[in-house]
Amino acid sequence: MRFSLNPIQAFLQSEAKGGFVLIAAALLAFFVAASPLGNLYSEALRFPLKLQVGELVFKTSPLHLVNDLLMAVFFLQVGLEIKRELVQGELRGLRKAMLPLAAAAGGMLIPALIYLGFNQQGVGTRGFGIPMATDIAFSLGVLSLLGKRVPFGMKVFLVSLAIVDDLGAVLIIALFYSTNLNLGALALAASAWGIALLVGRLRVVQLWPYLALGAATWYFTLESGIHPTVAGVALAFAIPLLPPVRPATRLLTARLEPAQGSEQAPEAEGVARPDSPLERLEHLLNPWVAFGILPLFAFFNAGVSLEAFQLGAITYGAFWGLLAGKPLGIWLATWVAVRTGLANLPSGVGWGHVLGASLLGGIGFTMSLFVATLAFGEGPLLNQAKVGVLSASVVSALAGLAVTFQVTKIRG
């Protein structure tokens, strides 16, 4: 099995296709929750489950199983993407990473400030992190509707921005949405992760030691009071990404292996080694996350109970934070970074493309809904946040699609 050194092409394709499944799952949840089956839907999400692994007994529900366990796998994939981009990709080196770093910083700060403008006091302030994230799968799914007319540089900019956004969201979750810390369990989690780091430093290529240590890290993180999804990202940084094979090796491999069809690998400096644990795990997880975990999360979390529902400051903060704050923050921060000489726009990308990508950045969806559940648990406040996130994501998708279509039409 061979892996491209620059797997951005395959990543874009899988994320875009997964985005359509994600949208379908969210729509299904919304209509089921608003239908006569709404009460059954709510009860099914909270049905008590008892899971036992050896001496360990877990009392949970389908909703918490998805949000605490399966989303940890999603965050593991996010962490793998972040590490790969830091080591070999668009975030390698300060100069190269400056554009998505600046764009993500602006796209997190201004939405949070707009949200807090609507929620200056009370329990609503806990939701400041809701409009700070961008949904990669959803945004790329929308962008893929325009096909090849969209410059590749625009897609890379959007992906890099969203990956930095995800890292910021992980930090927000760890710092602001963790309560009642158990220092003993936290120490055990840190110990398990430290052993995983050591295994990675030893360049162990088998995946099972990392997965076993990751399971221990997840359990002790859960017990510590920090949300267990943080363990997924932490584990990713312990898994080694081995150096790529040099071009000469690539040419030799191409001569020894028969060509498959007419597909050409994208030009790059080399290919990643097939025994690289990070590449293998990422390749393994991608379809399960895109077509399984994220649609399940959407179905379990996008349903909105309309009984006694009222719009409120949380709805307005989430809506305007995503719809206005995201594009304003991303575009302004990008403009400042380019004008001051800190960064350059990708090849073939103009300011119209940046505006389109900034609007698509307002599609918060998965991460925004996840932060909303951490901030408000269950009940009317969570419903307010869901309506704000879902409506802003839809309007942002339509606006970003329209602007990008117009820009590509003019340039075409």
Side-chain angles (χ1 to χ4, degrees):
M1 182 182 296
R2 291 190 297 170
F3 298 98
S4 166
L5 171 66
N6 181 11
I8 195 76
Q9 297 270 17
F11 174 78
L12 287 168
Q13 292 177 4
S14 66
E15 290 292 322
K17 293 175 182 176
F20 293 114
V21 181
L22 185 67
I23 295 169
L27 289 173
L28 179 61
F30 184 83
F31 286 118
V32 169
S35 74
L37 297 175
N39 289 333
L40 181 61
Y41 168 81
S42 298
E43 292 174 3
L45 296 185
R46 292 156 184 82
F47 185 80
L49 296 176
K50 183 178 179 180
L51 305 176
Q52 185 167 356
V53 181
E55 299 296 323
L56 300 177
V57 178
F58 298 92
K59 293 183 179 180
T60 184
S61 67
L63 179 62
H64 285 97
L65 192 63
V66 169
N67 290 355
D68 292 348
L69 179 58
L70 294 187
M71 285 301 284
V73 179
F74 163 68
F75 275 82
L76 171 59
Q77 185 210 34
V78 168
L80 295 172
E81 293 164 1
I82 292 171
K83 181 172 181 177
R84 171 167 50 77
E85 293 302 313
L86 286 171
V87 175
Q88 293 183 350
E90 297 302 314
L91 303 179
R92 180 181 57 187
L94 184 59
R95 174 73 181 180
K96 198 172 184 181
M98 188 55 67
L99 187 67
L101 283 172
M108 296 180 75
L109 178 61
I110 293 183
L113 292 176
I114 289 178
Y115 178 91
L116 290 174
F118 286 95
N119 298 270
Q120 298 180 15
Q121 56 186 0
V123 69
T125 58
R126 282 186 53 80
F128 75 94
I130 294 173
M132 296 175 71
T134 295
D135 190 295
I136 303 179
F138 200 155
S139 57
L140 285 178
V142 172
L143 196 59
S144 69
L145 294 174
L146 297 179
K148 296 181 179 179
R149 64 191 306 154
V150 178
F152 183 66
M154 178 183 175
K155 297 178 181 178
V156 172
F157 172 69
L158 183 59
V159 170
S160 303
L161 156 69
I163 287 175
V164 178
D165 249 349
D166 284 344
L167 180 58
V170 171
L171 295 175
I172 294 295
I173 291 169
L175 294 174
F176 297 101
Y177 295 103
S178 300
T179 57
N180 301 322
L181 289 182
N182 181 330
L183 296 181
L186 185 60
L188 290 172
S191 299
W193 182 53
I195 297 173
L197 287 172
L198 178 60
V199 172
R201 292 288 293 177
L202 294 174
R203 300 289 184 101
V204 174
V205 297
Q206 291 86 358
L207 289 178
W208 69 263
Y210 302 104
L211 298 180
L213 290 165
T217 304
W218 175 87
Y219 173 73
F220 290 121
T221 303
L222 176 67
E223 292 295 306
S224 75
I226 294 177
H227 199 275
T229 51
V230 176
V233 177
L235 175 63
F237 279 83
I239 300 175
L241 176 61
L242 302 182
V245 179
R246 290 182 298 177
T249 309
R250 179 184 179 184
L251 291 174
L252 179 61
T253 304
R255 291 185 178 185
L256 293 176
E257 295 184 4
Q260 297 182 2
S262 60
E263 293 186 2
Q264 297 287 334
E267 291 298 323
E269 297 175 358
V271 295
R273 290 171 54 170
D275 57 349
S276 178
L278 187 146
E279 292 278 347
R280 283 189 287 122
L281 184 56
E282 188 178 14
H283 185 77
L284 177 67
L285 290 179
N286 276 343
W288 290 99
V289 170
F291 302 107
I293 292 175
L294 288 183
L296 267 177
F297 172 84
F299 181 73
F300 278 50
N301 289 271
V304 179
S305 174
L306 299 180
E307 291 185 13
F309 172 75
Q310 291 182 340
L311 297 177
I314 293 172
T315 306
Y316 300 131
F319 180 83
W320 290 112
L322 285 168
L323 181 61
K326 267 292 182 180
L328 181 62
I330 293 171
W331 198 93
L332 279 179
T334 302
W335 185 85
V336 170
V338 172
R339 291 299 180 185
T340 57
L342 293 175
N344 297 315
L345 290 180
S347 176
V349 174
W351 288 108
H353 296 115
V354 174
L355 178 59
S358 300
L359 287 164
L360 292 174
I363 304 175
F365 200 69
T366 302
M367 199 69 79
S368 294
L369 289 177
F370 185 68
V371 173
T373 62
L374 298 182
F376 302 122
E378 301 175 10
L381 296 183
L382 178 60
N383 281 334
Q384 283 190 32
K386 285 182 179 181
V387 170
V389 169
L390 294 173
S391 54
S393 295
V394 171
V395 177
S396 295
L398 294 175
L401 190 63
V403 168
T404 305
F405 174 78
Q406 190 62 30
V407 171
T408 54
K409 181 179 178 182
I410 292 173
R411 287 186 167 240

